Structures are given as C-alpha cells and as structure tokens.
Amino acid sequence: MKIDGQCHCGRVSYRADIDPERVSICHCTDCQQLTGSPYRVTVLCAREQIELTGADPKIYAKVGENGRTRFQHFCSECGSPVFTSGDDIQPDGWGIRWGSIRQRHDLKPRRQIWFRSAAPWTSDLRDLPGSPTE
C-alpha cells in the first residue's frame, strides 16, 4: 500500500510503500512516556520502503528494557514523532508512526506487543460516552 505523511507542522514529510498487515500497537512504558498516551501505533517496515520528501527528522536514541537501542525520529520544530528505527540487525527495524500517516484510517492494528504494560482500561473504551466533536 502506498502511503504518505508528515509531522504536525509539515516540515518532515515522506512517502512509503508498506504492508498494511504490519500495523501494531506497543504498550511498553517507553512508548507511553514518549506519546503521553497508553500506547503507540506503528507500521513496521524496512528503511528502503521510506522516501523522505521534506526535512530530515531529529533523532533521539534510547536503550529499551530489552537491551536494544531504538532511535526516535521526530520533527525538531513541532516535536511530532514520525519514525522509529533500531540497529541494522533487524531487516524490518523501522516503523512509521500511525498518527503521521495521511491514510491512517485505512490501517488497523493486527497485533499488540509489551501487553504486560497495558493500561487495564484500554480494552473497555466502547462503554465510555462519546462525542463526535468537542
């Protein structure tokens, strides 16, 4: 599937060719802290599948609980997370952050990881009252 996207301000932008079956939710505590949310949604892919069309993102490195270094790619202007990457050992070690993808509503998560860190209420959201706008 061909996708495109950008950070919130539009400075960092890209095009990519991804497999929509590779969308996952991560509940790890690093993703919770980096997003300020209970989980993060990412499309996994290889670096070769991504073409940067705007400015280069800023990169922050962090060693995770599993001992592997992950690089967080984000816009230096607005702070939006755009990509994640790891060492070159993993062929599909890159990920595109779901919120940056223009076609995100066509991409449904297919798996969850680090579920032991999941907030217990995340599976009960259907019962919350909702409003189509605010």
Side-chain angles (χ1 to χ4, degrees):
M1 174 180 178
K2 300 220 182 283
I3 62 168
D4 61 279
Q6 65 183 31
C7 64
H8 193 258
C9 73
R11 186 172 186 275
V12 178
S13 59
Y14 61 88
R15 286 189 289 261
D17 191 5
I18 57 103
D19 178 353
E21 297 296 314
R22 304 286 321 270
V23 180
S24 62
I25 292 173
C26 182
H27 295 277
C28 80
T29 55
D30 282 341
C31 282
Q32 291 170 352
Q33 287 183 308
L34 285 163
T35 63
S37 298
Y39 54 83
R40 184 188 314 247
V41 182
T42 301
V43 179
L44 300 175
C45 62
R47 171 63 181 99
E48 295 78 34
Q49 293 172 262
I50 303 168
E51 175 192 357
L52 286 175
T53 57
D56 288 336
K58 186 170 176 73
I59 299 173
Y60 164 71
K62 169 78 166 59
V63 177
E65 187 178 327
N66 61 7
R68 293 193 306 231
T69 300
R70 295 297 300 169
F71 300 98
Q72 307 302 321
H73 303 245
F74 60 95
C75 176
S76 61
E77 185 67 26
C78 68
S80 297
V82 183
F83 308 111
T84 183
S85 66
D87 53 35
D88 292 332
I89 296 170
Q90 295 175 303
D92 290 341
W94 275 69
I96 303 171
R97 300 309 192 190
W98 186 86
S100 72
I101 301 170
R102 191 169 59 83
Q103 300 83 1
R104 63 185 165 267
H105 297 292
D106 297 330
L107 299 171
K108 179 181 175 184
R110 303 296 183 186
R111 71 179 189 136
Q112 299 181 69
I113 59 174
W114 289 96
F115 196 71
R116 73 176 187 202
S117 304
W121 49 264
T122 56
S123 60
D124 299 328
L125 297 178
R126 288 185 185 185
D127 296 333
L128 291 177
S131 173
T133 62
E134 186 60 33

mmCIF file of all heavy atoms in Angstrom, residues 30-40:
data_model
loop_
_atom_site.group_PDB
_atom_site.id
_atom_site.type_symbol
_atom_site.label_atom_id
_atom_site.label_comp_id
_atom_site.label_asym_id
_atom_site.label_seq_id
_atom_site.Cartn_x
_atom_site.Cartn_y
_atom_site.Cartn_z
ATOM 1 N N ASP A 30 8.180 2.910 27.535
ATOM 2 C CA ASP A 30 8.845 3.940 26.731
ATOM 3 C C ASP A 30 7.844 4.588 25.775
ATOM 4 O O ASP A 30 7.791 5.824 25.661
ATOM 5 C CB ASP A 30 10.014 3.364 25.934
ATOM 6 C CG ASP A 30 11.260 3.149 26.782
ATOM 7 O OD1 ASP A 30 11.368 3.759 27.873
ATOM 8 O OD2 ASP A 30 12.134 2.378 26.350
ATOM 9 N N CYS A 31 7.044 3.800 25.080
ATOM 10 C CA CYS A 31 6.040 4.368 24.173
ATOM 11 C C CYS A 31 5.012 5.189 24.939
ATOM 12 O O CYS A 31 4.562 6.226 24.464
ATOM 13 C CB CYS A 31 5.363 3.267 23.362
ATOM 14 S SG CYS A 31 6.381 2.662 21.989
ATOM 15 N N GLN A 32 4.641 4.731 26.115
ATOM 16 C CA GLN A 32 3.699 5.511 26.928
ATOM 17 C C GLN A 32 4.285 6.871 27.276
ATOM 18 O O GLN A 32 3.612 7.900 27.154
ATOM 19 C CB GLN A 32 3.324 4.733 28.194
ATOM 20 C CG GLN A 32 2.475 3.516 27.915
ATOM 21 C CD GLN A 32 2.300 2.623 29.130
ATOM 22 O OE1 GLN A 32 2.928 2.810 30.166
ATOM 23 N NE2 GLN A 32 1.447 1.623 28.996
ATOM 24 N N GLN A 33 5.546 6.898 27.689
ATOM 25 C CA GLN A 33 6.174 8.170 28.045
ATOM 26 C C GLN A 33 6.400 9.058 26.833
ATOM 27 O O GLN A 33 6.192 10.269 26.899
ATOM 28 C CB GLN A 33 7.498 7.934 28.761
ATOM 29 C CG GLN A 33 7.322 7.435 30.178
ATOM 30 C CD GLN A 33 8.650 7.273 30.867
ATOM 31 O OE1 GLN A 33 9.560 6.622 30.360
ATOM 32 N NE2 GLN A 33 8.771 7.879 32.034
ATOM 33 N N LEU A 34 6.833 8.484 25.730
ATOM 34 C CA LEU A 34 7.129 9.267 24.529
ATOM 35 C C LEU A 34 5.875 9.872 23.897
ATOM 36 O O LEU A 34 5.954 10.906 23.242
ATOM 37 C CB LEU A 34 7.866 8.417 23.499
ATOM 38 C CG LEU A 34 9.331 8.140 23.823
ATOM 39 C CD1 LEU A 34 9.857 6.971 22.992
ATOM 40 C CD2 LEU A 34 10.170 9.383 23.591
ATOM 41 N N THR A 35 4.726 9.239 24.085
ATOM 42 C CA THR A 35 3.493 9.745 23.485
ATOM 43 C C THR A 35 2.598 10.468 24.479
ATOM 44 O O THR A 35 1.717 11.210 24.071
ATOM 45 C CB THR A 35 2.656 8.605 22.875
ATOM 46 O OG1 THR A 35 2.250 7.717 23.921
ATOM 47 C CG2 THR A 35 3.416 7.859 21.803
ATOM 48 N N GLY A 36 2.779 10.203 25.763
ATOM 49 C CA GLY A 36 1.829 10.730 26.741
ATOM 50 C C GLY A 36 0.493 10.014 26.646
ATOM 51 O O GLY A 36 -0.530 10.515 27.087
ATOM 52 N N SER A 37 0.488 8.829 26.047
ATOM 53 C CA SER A 37 -0.726 8.037 25.810
ATOM 54 C C SER A 37 -0.518 6.620 26.330
ATOM 55 O O SER A 37 0.596 6.225 26.615
ATOM 56 C CB SER A 37 -1.015 7.970 24.305
ATOM 57 O OG SER A 37 -1.258 9.242 23.785
ATOM 58 N N PRO A 38 -1.588 5.822 26.394
ATOM 59 C CA PRO A 38 -1.445 4.460 26.913
ATOM 60 C C PRO A 38 -0.727 3.504 25.970
ATOM 61 O O PRO A 38 -0.262 2.458 26.394
ATOM 62 C CB PRO A 38 -2.879 4.009 27.153
ATOM 63 C CG PRO A 38 -3.709 4.880 26.294
ATOM 64 C CD PRO A 38 -2.986 6.179 26.163
ATOM 65 N N TYR A 39 -0.625 3.847 24.684
ATOM 66 C CA TYR A 39 0.083 3.001 23.731
ATOM 67 C C TYR A 39 0.422 3.805 22.483
ATOM 68 O O TYR A 39 -0.040 4.929 22.305
ATOM 69 C CB TYR A 39 -0.721 1.760 23.342
ATOM 70 C CG TYR A 39 -2.110 2.036 22.838
ATOM 71 C CD1 TYR A 39 -2.340 2.391 21.519
ATOM 72 C CD2 TYR A 39 -3.213 1.927 23.689
ATOM 73 C CE1 TYR A 39 -3.607 2.644 21.054
ATOM 74 C CE2 TYR A 39 -4.492 2.174 23.232
ATOM 75 C CZ TYR A 39 -4.688 2.529 21.909
ATOM 76 O OH TYR A 39 -5.956 2.785 21.456
ATOM 77 N N ARG A 40 1.236 3.198 21.614
ATOM 78 C CA ARG A 40 1.612 3.832 20.349
ATOM 79 C C ARG A 40 1.311 2.850 19.220
ATOM 80 O O ARG A 40 1.520 1.651 19.368
ATOM 81 C CB ARG A 40 3.098 4.166 20.341
ATOM 82 C CG ARG A 40 3.498 4.904 19.084
ATOM 83 C CD ARG A 40 4.981 5.098 18.913
ATOM 84 N NE ARG A 40 5.727 5.555 20.037
ATOM 85 C CZ ARG A 40 6.325 6.747 20.129
ATOM 86 N NH1 ARG A 40 6.203 7.623 19.164
ATOM 87 N NH2 ARG A 40 7.045 7.060 21.164
#
